[in-house]
Amino acid sequence: MDLINLSAHELNGFIKSKEVSVLDIAQDYAQRIESVDEKINAFITFDKNVFFSKAKEIDAYIRSGNEIFDFTGIPVAIKDNICTKGVRTTCASRILSSYISVYDATVIKKLNAQHFLMVGKANMDEFAMGSSNENSSFGAVRNPWNLDYVPGGSSGGPAASVAASEVPCSLGSDTGGSIRQPASLCGVVGMKPTYGRVSRYGLIAFASSLDQIGPFTRDIKDCAALLEAISGYDEFDSTSINTNVPRYKSFLNSDIKGMKVGIPKELMVKEIDLQVKESVENVLKMLEKSGAIVEEISLPSLEYALSVYYIIAPSEASSNLSRYDGVRYGYRNMDARTLREMYKKTRAEGFGPEVKRRIMIGTYCLSAGYYDAYYDKAQKVRTLIINDFKNAFSTYDVLISPTSPTTAFKIGDKVDDPLRMYLSDICTIPVNLAGIPAISLPAGISKTGLPIGVQVIGDLLREDNVLKIASAIESDVKWKIKPQI
Amino acid sequence: MENKTADLNNKYETVIGLETHVELSTETKMFCGCKLSFGEKPNTYTCPVCLGHPGSLPVVNKKAIESAVKIALALNCSISEHSIFHRKNYFYPDMPKNYQISQYDLPVGVGGYIDINMGNYVRKVKITRVHVEEDTGKLIHIGSTGRISEADYSIVDFNRAGTPLIEIVTDPDIKSPEEAKQYMITLRNTLLMLNVSDCSMEEGSIRSDANVSVKLTTTDKLGTRTEIKNLNSFKFLQKGLEYEVERQIDVLESGREVLQQTRHYDNKTQTTKVLRQKEEAHDYRYFPDPDLVPMKILPDWINEIKSALPELPGAREKRYKNSLGLSDYDSAFMANDFEISSYFEETLKHHNNAKSVCNWIMGDFSAFINKNQVTLKESKISPENLADLVKMIDRQEINSKIAKSVFEEMYDSGESPQEIILKKGLKQISDTGELEAIINEVILKNPDAVSQYKSGKVKAIGFLVGRIMAKTQGKANPQIVNEIIVKKLS
């Protein structure tokens, strides 16, 4: 059986019917990782022995007649900014290169309760800052569809590992598009839930008011299942929402007749690649054919989203990252002779250039005399963006746009031009600012053989609508080709 | 010299504002479930949250907010229904996150006041704000001087990190070091009555920084202020401020300018020294903590807390005066020190003679504890025992002279007055049969005094009574003795 090309729910079926053991699955995936990850570099930490002994443990659990949940024995890769007890969590940064967390993030606890099979810790842009996964102190991740191309970022490892069949699914985090953009560039499904739907406890913070953990999968059904598994109120996260978790799987294959789809013209910007535009338009035609009502709309304040984001996110980051000082854990420069020198050298040597750039931008924006003009103003514009979405959702069930203006770009292409790099997230950033849910799923393949993604955006806590539309799109455009590595 | 000082004191006015930090005595820390500790093994009362580990998040301790609301209400503040936490960003090794979660423009309480009884006048000190924050860890610098700049290395204990702190800031309404000290005493007693903090000065549970400046009496324009740190006792607070006021006047008198500085009070030299200049002031880059949602402090909850507030010193003083009939001075003395007041209240529960109990506490008891340098609470006399002693005097079971010696014995042994009286046979003799025998004997042995009395010298009876008291070691009930003698000699 070709286990590595099955989805999580298919694997789940075979585990339940006892046709395969978890160890069988682990062995096949380990073999796949060993044969391709040298090229992809999706993993920062993968320990085959730990992986196998965990698989055996789960097999024993199953043999004792215990309940088999959706993710019992399912291999899942975890982005390396999600804390895992006893397994190092590096954030792809030198400053945490040997940091081992003393606790499990809430999402890990939830998956552990289902006896999932953690594969390893997936590569990413350092502290989740980047759109190409080139900012990793553990080396760039390569796009499985073309190894000269980036997988997107910051969750490049989680996306590429799913695309390269190293895992059936993974967890990433999304602050400005860090799940959806790499999902788009790697041709997989990636979802950012409503802010507060999934606990952030144990997610190493980049920008606290924007960060959200979400799933990468091969199909919408797995996406719904994994979202269901990790969602829910957490008393350890004050920003988590205290409402019941719907049965997300139940919304798949729904009739979408009469559902209203808005196309924000501000997200169909001039920077959008022609092929990407065509793919999205094809998706819209198909939705109309299925009975959905598609209309172009305007959300004027989205024009400012990128500017607002690059004030709020670095501001929060500058404060969130100040704890990395060499005093309690992580990298410390041992030659420093004074406290100040230790701080300076530790941070100068521990952080990469993009992280430093954002710490400086954020520190500046929060400084006395600049706060009102930058941070405070940005918060006000953020409110306008939230209101624009609120207005749109009073009429429309979902909004649709490209996920990324382009397909994957070449490694090294944009590293020296941060502003061009930042434009990669122009369609995804407004969603984080508004705290609403959105998914990216495959919409086509470019002439050069690179995946194209489409983004479906829903109102607060309306993941159901997002999944309904995504499921309809998937049934139409799902392609059978796989990347050849 | 005396005159010169007096002249200068008339020429200048002192302006003081205080910032007081109070450690709350909640069960757990401000943003995590760790228990509060003091003097435990370093770094044992910690968790990922209070150690600032990556990925950990704060959750507000509701009990701490309740205490903050109590304090704000007791200080006559209005409570902000919408209150938020900010991050105060600065690097220091005792700060696990390198930012402190504190409050900035929306604190729990604003715009209050507290009346400070200065004996011959009352100073109303306005309270600018009452806000909640978290405490830092503790640094120990290993090296000859104990200062960070000269240390070989430093070690840090995070047990205290995350302890709930309340900051209480006054307007610049305090006009002298004495008023500052009295403010601290009154504030501390108020907090003790509220039962929100142990307010231990030695353990640093309550500590103040002072902003102080002097200005010419003839102008409204405030002078340049300095901030004084390390004023860790009532005495240091007063001494430190006295030194600083004098220093600032000297600077101005010599034609120089007072510089805006942060200064450190050194108790050894009783002087203040520069810690940092204004230019070195931090930019804390305050912004709302995105990990915490805005707090809604609802009117129902505020009213609930308000109705459960205990009687505060001001109200207590009035009650002592109006209901218990104590003098102004006595009322203030009994109401304005938490320990004395608690002792007084407890004693009254057992014997309701306020004036008498008050006299004992202010008189003999105070003299004893002052002499032995202990506190009321530390003394061996329980409120119940003191009540019993006063009760026995009121019932004329012992006279005041014996009471004093019983009190001494109580103070030394901690025994109850009943035990002591029984053990030493000090119970007053009121049995007329027993007394008559003694009186007869004294009359027989002192014919001179008897004849003097009979010839009209009424005073001679005092001599006879004295003889009887001596014979009974003071235990005879003097009133009954008097009655019997008069009857026998008439």
Side-chain angles (χ1 to χ4, degrees), chain A residues 203-225:
Chain A
L203 170 65
I204 299 183
F206 158 19
S208 313
S209 74
L210 302 160
D211 296 341
Q212 191 67 187
I213 295 172
F216 282 98
T217 58
R218 301 222 181 100
D219 60 28
I220 303 295
K221 192 171 178 183
D222 279 0
C223 178

Side-chain angles (χ1 to χ4, degrees), chain B residues 161-207:
Chain B
T163 297
L165 276 187
I166 301 292
E167 185 177 309
I168 300 160
V169 183
T170 75
D171 282 7
D173 286 347
I174 299 166
K175 305 288 183 212
S176 70
E178 295 86 337
E179 285 185 13
K181 179 183 159 193
Q182 200 53 40
Y183 165 82
M184 274 297 284
I185 291 172
T186 310
L187 178 65
R188 182 171 179 271
N189 283 317
T190 303
L191 296 170
L192 286 168
M193 298 253 183
L194 292 172
N195 195 23
V196 291
S197 168
D198 64 16
C199 288
S200 156
M201 307 284 270
E202 301 83 52
E203 293 176 10
S205 314
I206 180 165
R207 45 193 195 260

Side-chain angles (χ1 to χ4, degrees), chain A residues 48-59:
Chain A
K48 198 167 79 172
N49 295 329
V50 174
F51 187 46
F52 286 168
S53 69
K54 184 73 198 169
K56 286 177 197 159
E57 217 176 87
I58 301 167
D59 275 331

Side-chain angles (χ1 to χ4, degrees), chain B residues 376-390:
Chain B
L376 271 182
K377 218 164 60 182
E378 286 162 359
S379 85
K380 291 180 184 165
I381 300 178
S382 70
E384 196 177 348
N385 285 349
L386 180 64
D388 284 347
L389 183 70
V390 178

